[in-house]
Amino acid sequence: MTTFETSVVIARPLEDVFAFTTDISNNTKWQKILVDAGLTRGETMDVGATYRYTVKFMGKHIETEAVVTAFEENRAFSAKTLRGPVAGEFHLAFEPVYAGTALTTRCKAELGYFKYTKPIALRLAKEQYRKDLDVLKHILEAPPDDCETLACRQ
């Protein structure tokens, strides 16, 4: 299994960053390879909730179902795949820092689906995670156009 980690500091309160990133309806806004995502069991992304998502990666549409394995308000979110061609685990860690919120993503994936292109797939996945965090930072740090709350951006 391959593991990689990426971090970013976002100049927003911890509660805003956590709420935005753990709301599945926002995922397609900041995860650019994500085609669609939705809950399949549960009403929120709490432990035990399942969700399905489709990504377009290396020219392929990949459909996956995952289960939320950890949900600690304003601290951590984790999920692991249940079905799909790429087995893996995904973890988000949130930490308050002087400048706002430090967000670290950790991904562990079995890239057997890409066995002939594994080095390329790994490099592209790492780059995509970095870009996704940059997009998230841009969205959350953007000036609120005539509104005072994060809800206006959703």
Side-chain angles (χ1 to χ4, degrees), residues 114-126:
F114 296 99
K115 66 182 176 181
Y116 299 114
T117 57
K118 193 173 185 175
I120 296 167
L122 178 60
R123 181 179 52 80
L124 291 175
K126 286 180 181 180

Side-chain angles (χ1 to χ4, degrees), residues 66-107:
V67 61
V68 177
T69 57
F71 187 95
E72 298 175 51
E73 185 101 18
N74 300 324
R75 293 200 55 225
F77 173 86
S78 298
K80 72 175 184 176
T81 58
L82 295 173
R83 284 181 273 295
V86 178
E89 300 172 15
F90 179 73
H91 181 74
L92 297 173
F94 302 81
E95 183 179 354
V97 293
Y98 179 75
T101 304
L103 171 59
T104 301
T105 65
R106 186 174 310 108
C107 181

Side-chain angles (χ1 to χ4, degrees), residues 9 13 18 34 47 49 67 78 125 127 134 143:
V9 173
F18 185 86
L34 197 59
V47 173
V67 61
S78 298
E127 288 174 7
D134 289 343

Side-chain angles (χ1 to χ4, degrees), residues 4-134:
F4 57 91
E5 190 173 288
T6 308
S7 297
V8 67
V9 173
I10 300 171
R12 294 285 302 180
L14 174 68
E15 297 79 12
D16 289 353
V17 177
F18 185 86
F20 189 85
T21 57
T22 59
D23 179 346
I24 198 164
S25 68
N26 292 325
N27 289 6
T28 56
K29 296 174 186 174
W30 65 279
Q31 296 177 36
K32 294 304 177 186
I33 65 170
L34 197 59
V35 177
D36 67 76
L39 286 165
T40 55
R41 184 177 71 211
E43 294 183 22
T44 60
M45 295 288 272
D46 290 320
V47 173
T50 60
Y51 61 99
R52 54 117 192 100
Y53 59 94
T54 303
V55 298
K56 186 174 181 186
F57 184 68
M58 293 183 64
K60 299 182 183 296
H61 278 81
I62 302 168
E63 294 185 16
T64 304
E65 186 171 8
V67 61
V68 177
T69 57
F71 187 95
E72 298 175 51
E73 185 101 18
N74 300 324
R75 293 200 55 225
F77 173 86
S78 298
K80 72 175 184 176
T81 58
L82 295 173
R83 284 181 273 295
V86 178
E89 300 172 15
F90 179 73
H91 181 74
L92 297 173
F94 302 81
E95 183 179 354
V97 293
Y98 179 75
T101 304
L103 171 59
T104 301
T105 65
R106 186 174 310 108
C107 181
K108 292 168 72 173
E110 180 54 58
L111 298 174
Y113 183 70
F114 296 99
K115 66 182 176 181
Y116 299 114
T117 57
K118 193 173 185 175
I120 296 167
L122 178 60
R123 181 179 52 80
L124 291 175
K126 286 180 181 180
E127 288 174 7
Q128 190 60 54
Y129 272 84
R130 174 77 257 151
K131 288 177 186 176
D132 288 347
L133 289 183
D134 289 343

